[in-house]
Amino acid sequence: MFLIIFLFSLSLHIQELIKRVEENNVSSNQHLFKIKKEHPEEFSVANDLVKKN
């Protein structure tokens, strides 16, 4: 049962992501500067991954 709920939730997230990409609607994290300051190593890794794609 958990797997069914998980897959349903994941499909909703993917559907919304596709919708935002098609509409060229970029969402941003309002706490990005705080995250960058408090977690610089993790932010750097995530930033590198985004740049590769």
Side-chain angles (χ1 to χ4, degrees):
M1 185 67 175
F2 172 77
L3 181 60
I4 293 171
I5 295 170
F6 172 76
L7 291 175
F8 178 73
S9 300
L10 180 61
S11 70
L12 289 176
H13 283 285
I14 292 172
Q15 183 179 17
E16 287 300 313
L17 173 64
I18 292 170
K19 182 179 172 184
R20 286 193 308 269
V21 169
E22 288 176 345
E23 295 173 353
N24 200 21
N25 182 8
V26 179
S27 60
S28 63
N29 188 330
Q30 296 176 355
H31 304 287
L32 193 57
F33 294 112
K34 181 180 176 185
I35 293 169
K36 186 176 181 179
K37 181 180 176 184
E38 293 179 2
H39 307 283
E41 292 178 15
E42 292 87 346
F43 182 85
S44 177
V45 171
N47 196 35
D48 291 343
L49 290 173
V50 168
K51 288 180 182 178
K52 288 182 181 180
N53 292 325

